[in-house]
Amino acid sequence: TSLFLLFATVYGSDLQRQDAKLELEEYIKEASQKINQQYRLQYHVAAPVGWINDPNGFSYYKGEYHLFYQYYPYDSVWGPMHWGHVVSKDLVTWEHRPTALLPDEEYCFSGSAVVDGDKMILMYTAHIEKEGSPTNQSQYLAFSDDGVNFEKFVGNPVIPASPNHSPDFRDPKAWKHEDYWYVIIGSKTDDEIGTVLLYRSKNMIDWEFLTILAQATSDLGYMWECPDFFELGGKHILLMSPQGIEPQGDRFKNLYQTGYIVGQFDYETFKFTPETEFQELDYGHDFYAAQTTESNDGKRILIGWFGMWETAFPEAKDGWAGAMTIARELELDSNNRILMKPLTQQNSLRGEKTFDGDLKENQVLELQSASEVLIDIDLSKEIHLLLEGRSGGGKAWLKWDPAVGKVVVEREGDDVRQVEWAPVSNKAWRLFLDTSSLELFCGDGEAVFSSRVYPLGGWNLTNLGSQALQTTAYALNRGVPV
Ligand code: FRU
């Protein structure tokens, strides 16, 4: 009988889980139809309904890119975390898949995905809050044979605690190198200094702690979230999202930052030798917790959360909040700086060419809600562009100030964001507009700004400067389902 009971319990709870998943998908289908579409993005990944934050599990499996995200379907605010799921063949057009992970006693916090033969393995942080006990963060696995259905590992957790038992121990990013799996996990020391911990394993299940891969100097934050570690241009890049860096002039103006350190890594000694300071990756108002994967043609591709903690999401009242940035290709230049560019296949979204010529002084260009705008820049002359809704709503200004050599993105009601820009060869701006977002890529990706802006009635672009600007604009086709 006891065997039968065990079987019945396991089988019974499996059935319950199946039911919960089906119910959730039913709910999502219904609730997503009630969303007010006014700010809905046309080619950026967003949740069908509800809240999203970090990109998770970015990977390539059985001919498709998989992107998961921190997801709370039942409200447009953060809540018990699920993993939402989208797939793509080209990293530009996306389709929804059923929610991959649902919380049980644990919230399913951020993590990554690896491919092991025929299987996809998710590694994520189980965040457990129990009354009377301290918060607990440990690392869990979930397996899939088809990239659609995921089963949590019965032997979870695979890494129960950090060496110092810190309550902040999260966001595992796993990869394979030769015979071993490696994972880095964000954490902090007992005296509140951000760290990244390195582990390795033969089988993704039994993990050995190797070393502290990197640790904050005094001014680099109290906690390092969402670390990532990869090769680029013959170097190793440690990408992470520190909490607790103070603003310094133009730098670090958002509540938290995402940035990187370039260095050398030795797989014999597990030593990471930094060659640079921590540098921000994107200078816009809304960019955090970015994650990368390798494309099937060997490129390093990054997607970030198009959002920031503790900011207002005007779309929340419409039934959803937050989005992902477009995918960007990373390159390392000879000064150890990461360049971030839209993918070549991003051009496949281009529809009608809506403008091509000189945008004259005070000329207003009416743009589709989803548009791409290319502008030639004469570095010796000032640029002053206004972006606003044809029927009101949010505004932003894009500027080039030759006196100080800075690109400026100003959003109504906010601090400016600005950074020096010294283009190597390509003196042009590439602006991606969506219903409620802008992404500005300068030159070859030396300076990038991602900011949510909420115009009403489509975009108007006005040249407030005193020179005509050679401008091309395209309407963009949808990249995500309605
Ligand atoms: C980063 C983060 C992660 C955590 C997740 C929770 O934005 O705080 O550290 O895993 O969000 O949703």
Side-chain angles (χ1 to χ4, degrees):
T1 38
S2 63
L3 241 183
F4 170 75
L5 269 179
L6 178 69
F7 173 77
T9 323
V10 171
Y11 184 67
S13 65
D14 262 4
L15 281 183
Q16 267 174 14
R17 273 198 203 107
Q18 261 332 101
D19 282 354
K21 285 183 184 172
L22 291 176
E23 257 173 57
L24 172 59
E25 293 320 307
E26 271 308 305
Y27 159 79
I28 291 174
K29 213 167 122 194
E30 262 177 46
S32 62
Q33 280 156 17
K34 296 185 194 137
I35 278 185
N36 178 344
Q37 298 286 322
Q38 64 176 339
Y39 294 133
R40 220 44 198 156
L41 298 163
Q42 297 177 43
Y43 61 96
H44 288 83
V45 170
V49 59
W51 164 273
I52 75 177
N53 54 285
D54 314 359
N56 293 155
F58 195 15
S59 53
Y60 185 72
Y61 174 69
K62 294 191 175 168
E64 283 183 321
Y65 293 97
H66 290 254
L67 181 70
F68 304 82
Y69 50 83
Q70 289 287 281
Y71 183 30
Y72 184 59
Y74 299 109
D75 201 346
S76 20
V77 293
W78 190 87
M81 283 289 110
H82 300 54
W83 275 34
H85 188 189
V86 287
V87 297
S88 175
K89 289 225 167 11
D90 57 6
L91 293 163
V92 172
T93 52
W94 299 89
E95 275 173 38
H96 288 289
R97 288 286 176 269
T99 308
L101 295 176
L102 279 68
D104 285 304
E105 69 158 355
E106 90 290 12
Y107 292 5
C108 306
F109 271 24
S110 286
S112 52
V114 296
V115 176
D116 186 13
D118 227 25
K119 271 196 171 39
M120 182 177 203
I121 307 177
L122 307 183
M123 187 170 195
Y124 66 98
T125 297
H127 172 93
I128 300 174
E129 286 175 25
K130 269 200 204 120
E131 263 194 51
S133 349
T135 304
N136 176 275
Q137 298 190 335
S138 62
Q139 316 315 318
Y140 277 27
L141 300 180
F143 300 107
S144 177
D145 294 320
D146 57 6
V148 182
N149 300 293
F150 293 84
E151 290 295 328
K152 293 177 186 174
F153 178 45
V154 288
N156 283 331
V158 290
I159 310 181
S162 73
N164 69 344
H165 292 265
S166 169
D168 292 283
F169 178 50
R170 59 180 177 268
D171 311 337
K173 175 76 200 260
W175 73 96
K176 189 159 201 190
H177 179 79
E178 293 174 356
D179 294 338
Y180 283 96
W181 297 98
Y182 292 83
V183 71
I184 49 169
I185 303 174
S187 193
K188 60 162 64 143
T189 63
D190 292 340
D191 40 5
E192 305 274 308
I193 294 175
T195 60
V196 170
L197 308 173
L198 176 66
Y199 292 75
R200 81 172 174 184
S201 167
K202 280 266 183 205
N203 55 12
M204 284 292 293
I205 290 169
D206 306 299
W207 291 92
E208 169 197 1
F209 171 66
L210 294 175
T211 188
I212 294 176
L213 185 72
Q215 186 157 311
T217 50
S218 58
D219 52 357
L220 272 192
Y222 55 80
M223 169 66 197
W224 284 0
E225 298 189 309
C226 301
D228 195 345
F229 195 55
F230 50 89
E231 279 184 61
L232 192 70
K235 305 281 173 78
H236 266 85
I237 311 294
L238 176 62
L239 172 76
M240 73 277 202
S241 296
Q243 298 177 299
I245 300 185
E246 294 298 323
Q248 290 169 25
D250 290 343
R251 298 168 72 203
F252 314 138
K253 295 191 87 167
N254 292 334
L255 176 63
Y256 306 136
Q257 280 67 41
T258 291
Y260 61 97
I261 295 172
V262 181
Q264 305 278 355
F265 181 66
D266 183 346
Y267 275 101
E268 297 290 308
T269 59
F270 311 121
K271 194 170 159 44
F272 176 61
T273 313
E275 292 179 0
T276 68
E277 291 178 30
F278 176 78
Q279 317 179 59
E280 269 168 290
L281 199 55
D282 185 300
Y283 299 91
H285 299 78
D286 301 289
F287 182 83
Y288 194 60
Q291 193 177 83
T292 72
T293 192
E294 191 181 331
S295 66
N296 58 1
D297 54 354
K299 293 181 175 137
R300 187 49 57 174
I301 313 294
L302 174 140
I303 288 182
W305 173 30
F306 210 156
M308 180 49 62
W309 290 109
E310 291 170 43
T311 58
F313 288 87
E315 71 269 32
K317 62 176 184 329
D318 297 339
W320 64 288
M324 297 291 135
T325 65
I326 58 168
R328 297 132 186 230
E329 183 187 337
L330 304 186
E331 230 179 78
L332 192 68
D333 77 4
S334 52
N335 300 318
N336 273 345
R337 287 198 26 198
I338 290 184
L339 308 178
M340 208 157 54
K341 275 186 235 177
L343 308 183
T344 337
Q345 61 264 36
Q346 192 72 40
N347 292 355
S348 69
L349 287 190
R350 283 181 186 168
E352 190 198 341
K353 197 186 261 188
T354 50
F355 188 80
D356 194 7
D358 272 347
L359 185 66
K360 304 207 177 64
E361 225 176 299
N362 290 318
Q363 187 175 344
V364 183
L365 191 58
E366 286 196 7
L367 295 167
Q368 308 272 336
S369 302
S371 285
E372 184 187 336
V373 186
L374 302 147
I375 303 165
D376 283 346
I377 307 291
D378 175 347
L379 290 173
S380 67
K381 292 188 185 135
E382 202 172 74
I383 290 176
H384 192 177
L385 292 165
L386 165 66
L387 281 162
E388 62 184 335
R390 265 196 282 293
S391 322
K395 287 183 189 173
W397 293 265
L398 311 180
K399 299 178 194 168
W400 165 247
D401 183 346
V404 288
K406 284 182 186 174
V407 180
V408 183
V409 173
E410 202 174 332
R411 184 170 70 177
E412 197 175 34
D414 259 302
D415 258 8
V416 298
R417 297 290 186 275
Q418 54 185 357
V419 67
E420 268 143 37
W421 179 48
V424 189
S425 55
N426 176 20
K427 295 178 193 63
W429 285 0
R430 204 165 160 199
L431 174 64
F432 285 87
L433 298 172
D434 204 338
T435 319
S436 55
S437 72
L438 71 82
E439 279 155 296
L440 175 64
F441 294 85
C442 303
D444 290 311
E446 301 91 355
V448 180
F449 296 81
S450 305
S451 297
R452 297 290 306 278
V453 184
Y454 298 81
L456 292 170
W459 292 99
N460 273 352
L461 173 69
T462 309
N463 183 358
L464 298 179
S466 50
Q467 57 155 335
L469 295 169
Q470 167 58 45
T471 304
T472 312
Y474 296 91
L476 296 183
N477 296 320
R478 284 203 85 83
V480 295
V482 184

